[in-house]
Amino acid sequence: MSQRILLLPGDGIGPEVIREAEKILVQVISRFKLDLQLETALLGGAAIDSEGIPLPDSTLKLANQADAILLGAVGGPKWDEIDRSIRPEKGLLGLRSGLQLFGNLRPAITFPQLADASSLKKELVAGLDLLIVRELTGGIYFGEPRGIRELKNGEKQGFNTYVYSESEIERIGRVAFDAARKRDGRLCSVDKANVLEVTVLWREVMDRLGREYKDVQLSHMYVDNAAMQLIREPKQFDVMVTGNMFGDILSDAAAMLTGSIGMLPSASLDINGKGMYEPCHGSAPDIAGQNKANPLAAILSCAMMMRYSLGLEQVALTIEKAVEQTLDEGYRTVDIFSDGYKKVSTSEMGDAVSSILSSI
Ligand code: NAD
């Protein structure tokens, strides 16, 4: 039976980058004779304009039926003033929670061709290929009780609860160990076990899994040291796994090591490996509709989809190779352009990847 991929272009530059990603999907479907069916639905501001809500039932239904989802981006100034309960972002959050996408995979890859764009020295980041696995639906962002209360003396006190159950830790641990197996086989678990009991348990569960995944080399690091090591020597890491809040911070820091947000894909997975794939960037209203956006993060998201949800490693590698060769040949959208390279539009970049893909 054919597998279904749902495309959710969304808003702003979302439809522009998804159009280029779709070109690549259509091409690999034909070249590798894949039994994949593409469908498209509305999400975010586009859905508000058409249906009055950011996540229509019809979209949620298709998302539930799909084997994998490719999302562009949602949001923009046009919808900034509307009621918070139906803002475009609610559509995205509704999808993440509705589909129970607890495992967030955020690669930080610095293509050697773009190492000059990083804020770190070129030799520290050229060739960086790091994957951060972040727990996305638990931890202190969701723990109860939470709130702001008034104490007897009239002073206000804010409080949150940092909580993880063994099963929550184990399921994100398995995502990370499985990912490490597909890469260099090294996993660094990040916690604060010297201070926080919840992460003492986190460490125990990771150690238990480590005895099961004997082929993966497990290490542990406190989060403050991990932040320092990411900046000092980022290439020491292969895969890092951590909770929701630490992952939020570390993955943004790691993203910036690579120099351009237009290059970074991401995945959010459920317990069965079904995933939603999306570029890390937003809808970029400042360049939307101008054919200027870099589509490579969206195209690399397709490669992640092939690898993590569809089990098509060879197809993933082929897409990644085509992107690398496109950079080698000097094609640059405006966000990664510097003198001496070929400045191209969104669609020209998509065409360049497509043409190189057909030749490898
Ligand atoms: P943004 O990522 O959209 O843009 C930040 C800067 O990066 C802008 O200057 C933009 O032009 C540039 N940029 C982003 N993607 C690019 C690309 N592919 N090619 C070239 N340049 C690119 O972040 P923002 O400005 O903070 O947010 C804009 C809107 O996007 C907001 O409404 C926000 O809520 C939404 N947003 C959505 C998502 C998502 O859908 N997952 C994520 C972040 C922000």
Side-chain angles (χ1 to χ4, degrees):
M1 207 172 76
S2 70
Q3 289 184 296
R4 296 167 72 167
I5 298 177
L6 179 64
L7 307 179
L8 298 171
D11 310 316
I13 62 168
E16 299 171 51
V17 298
I18 293 301
R19 196 173 304 127
E20 302 314 309
E22 188 176 359
K23 271 185 203 165
I24 301 303
L25 285 175
V26 169
Q27 196 175 350
V28 295
I29 287 171
S30 146
R31 165 154 169 197
F32 291 93
K33 301 193 173 31
L34 306 176
D35 194 6
L36 297 176
Q37 188 188 325
L38 303 182
E39 294 163 305
T40 303
L42 295 172
L43 182 76
I48 296 171
D49 288 352
S50 151
E51 321 257 327
I53 48 169
L55 177 57
D57 287 345
S58 52
T59 299
L60 188 55
K61 187 170 171 213
L62 285 173
N64 272 311
Q65 291 165 346
D67 295 284
I69 299 165
L70 180 67
L71 170 82
V74 296
K78 181 176 175 195
W79 304 281
D80 275 355
E81 302 304 321
I82 65 172
D83 190 307
R84 286 193 75 79
S85 65
I86 57 155
R87 290 271 290 269
E89 296 76 7
K90 287 279 175 193
L92 183 54
L93 296 176
L95 260 188
R96 283 184 184 151
S97 60
L99 300 177
Q100 297 182 27
L101 303 172
F102 67 91
N104 188 215
L105 272 53
R106 291 263 307 252
I109 301 163
T110 309
F111 291 93
Q113 303 89 334
L114 301 179
D116 283 331
S118 172
S119 49
L120 293 195
K121 287 192 200 106
K122 187 174 176 171
E123 61 272 21
L124 284 181
V125 292
L128 173 71
D129 181 0
L130 156 71
L131 178 69
I132 297 189
V133 178
R134 167 189 170 196
E135 201 290 327
L136 202 58
T137 55
I140 195 163
Y141 290 177
F142 292 90
E144 297 284 350
R146 61 192 295 155
I148 298 175
R149 60 192 163 203
E150 198 166 308
L151 301 176
K152 283 198 181 108
N153 65 5
E155 190 189 1
K156 281 187 182 167
Q157 185 184 56
F159 60 100
N160 289 86
T161 304
Y162 190 179
V163 58
Y164 270 123
S165 62
E166 278 182 290
S167 57
E168 283 177 301
I169 303 169
E170 182 172 331
R171 68 179 185 176
I172 191 69
R174 288 192 183 280
V175 170
F177 275 98
D178 287 339
R181 262 188 180 161
K182 291 183 179 148
R183 295 171 45 101
D184 198 34
R186 291 179 294 119
L187 175 63
C188 178
S189 170
V190 175
D191 61 39
K192 191 69 184 167
N194 50 344
V195 179
L196 298 169
E197 284 79 359
V198 53
T199 69
V200 172
L201 180 65
W202 177 280
R203 197 176 272 224
E204 264 177 44
V205 175
M206 291 296 162
D207 277 333
R208 198 161 71 211
L209 285 174
R211 289 192 283 279
E212 193 182 312
Y213 288 79
K214 288 196 183 353
D215 50 330
V216 174
Q217 187 191 323
L218 173 68
S219 61
H220 301 279
M221 198 177 272
Y222 296 138
V223 63
D224 41 348
N225 187 25
M228 201 167 75
Q229 295 300 330
L230 258 185
I231 309 300
R232 195 183 73 84
E233 199 195 334
K235 283 193 271 187
Q236 70 183 282
F237 297 109
D238 177 27
V239 180
M240 296 172 105
V241 60
T242 190
N244 205 342
M245 179 168 63
F246 297 161
D248 190 4
I249 299 164
L250 293 179
S251 61
D252 269 20
M256 280 328 292
L257 299 177
T258 71
S260 172
I261 196 155
M263 298 292 304
L264 293 175
S266 76
S268 303
L269 303 178
D270 78 358
I271 191 81
N272 300 313
K274 168 172 169 170
M276 183 157 80
Y277 297 81
E278 49 182 313
C280 289
H281 59 73
S283 59
D286 52 334
I287 55 166
Q290 299 173 38
N291 201 17
K292 276 187 183 168
N294 185 344
L296 294 181
I299 291 173
L300 289 167
S301 298
C302 298
M304 286 191 86
M305 175 193 287
M306 296 294 157
R307 174 170 296 125
Y308 292 108
S309 284
L310 305 177
L312 298 166
E313 179 66 20
Q314 196 49 45
V315 183
L317 288 172
T318 308
I319 296 172
E320 286 164 353
K321 196 168 165 202
V323 168
E324 278 202 48
Q325 281 195 21
T326 306
L327 294 172
D328 277 339
E329 294 195 12
Y331 294 96
R332 299 284 189 275
T333 40
V334 69
D335 56 311
I336 50 174
F337 176 77
S338 53
D339 285 346
Y341 292 97
K342 301 173 206 165
K343 194 188 276 182
V344 291
S345 66
T346 310
S347 49
E348 287 167 339
M349 184 61 113
D351 288 342
V353 178
S354 167
S355 143
I356 287 166
L357 183 66
S358 63
S359 70
I360 54 178

